[in-house]
Amino acid sequence: MAQAKISAKANEGRFCRSSSMADRSSRLLESLDQLELRVEALREAATAVEQEKEILLEMIHSIQNSQDMRQISDGEREELNLTANRLMGRTLTVEVSVETIRSPQQQESLKHATRIIDEVVMEFYWRPFLITDLKSCDLPSPSCFSPWSAAPQPSVPPA
């Protein structure tokens, strides 16, 4: 990099540049790199706040449903429940959101992957019901192959 002092005479003054464009670009890039580190730290802190919120809500809920709460007087339980509900309400007012920016192709891929995962989860969820239903069927019928076969089938009156 050549650091050149550029001097030029204008109509009524003098123009002087003490650093090259490469130096300025380098300083700007360094500033952006520092900002990127701070943005990443902000995202991590926001994620930590989201996790802390969930932990607090679970703890409040746990206290409200604890055995100790059942073993105190009604008046004390009511007072403690009011405090717990107030804390829960205040905790729920904290909203933090960390989103990931995705291209349209990434969004489509995420939807596809989510759909596959949902199908696998549903298959494993319904499998015990399907096996039970299949064992109880005497004759093959469409209702024997439906996860909702245990539900009453609507009857259609003869025409």
Side-chain angles (χ1 to χ4, degrees):
M1 278 192 298
Q3 271 195 333
K5 271 200 168 187
I6 300 174
S7 299
K9 274 217 172 212
N11 288 340
E12 294 190 36
R14 190 174 170 163
F15 173 71
C16 181
R17 184 169 71 191
S18 61
S19 65
S20 71
M21 285 190 158
D23 288 341
R24 288 182 185 180
S25 178
S26 177
R27 282 196 313 269
L28 290 171
L29 182 59
E30 186 177 315
S31 293
L32 289 173
D33 287 343
Q34 292 299 315
L35 288 171
E36 184 173 14
L37 293 173
R38 290 177 64 186
V39 166
E40 190 57 34
L42 174 66
R43 291 175 61 85
E44 289 174 7
T47 301
V49 169
E50 283 180 327
Q51 291 171 350
E52 178 67 9
K53 176 183 172 181
E54 291 302 316
I55 290 169
L56 289 171
L57 290 171
E58 287 176 16
M59 291 173 71
I60 293 167
H61 186 70
S62 175
I63 288 172
Q64 285 181 312
N65 295 318
S66 71
Q67 188 66 30
D68 290 339
M69 283 290 272
R70 293 184 192 108
Q71 296 176 350
I72 59 176
S73 71
D74 289 343
E76 289 174 328
R77 183 174 31 254
E78 183 179 345
E79 185 177 332
L80 291 173
N81 273 324
L82 287 172
T83 302
N85 288 335
R86 180 181 55 80
L87 289 173
M88 183 151 324
R90 290 184 65 203
T91 304
L92 290 171
T93 63
V94 176
E95 292 193 26
V96 179
S97 177
V98 179
E99 297 179 13
T100 301
I101 299 171
R102 294 184 175 88
S103 70
Q105 182 181 6
Q106 290 172 324
Q107 288 175 341
E108 193 59 37
S109 295
L110 178 62
K111 285 180 188 175
H112 182 69
T114 303
R115 191 170 33 250
I116 290 170
I117 291 168
D118 288 345
E119 288 171 4
V120 169
V121 167
M122 289 304 293
E123 163 123 4
F124 282 106
Y125 175 77
W126 285 110
R127 180 169 279 164
F129 299 110
L130 288 172
I131 292 169
T132 302
D133 288 347
L134 286 173
K135 288 179 183 176
S136 67
C137 288
D138 293 330
L139 298 172
S141 72
S143 68
C144 287
F145 300 102
S146 167
W148 298 275
S149 62
Q153 300 295 321
S155 60
V156 178

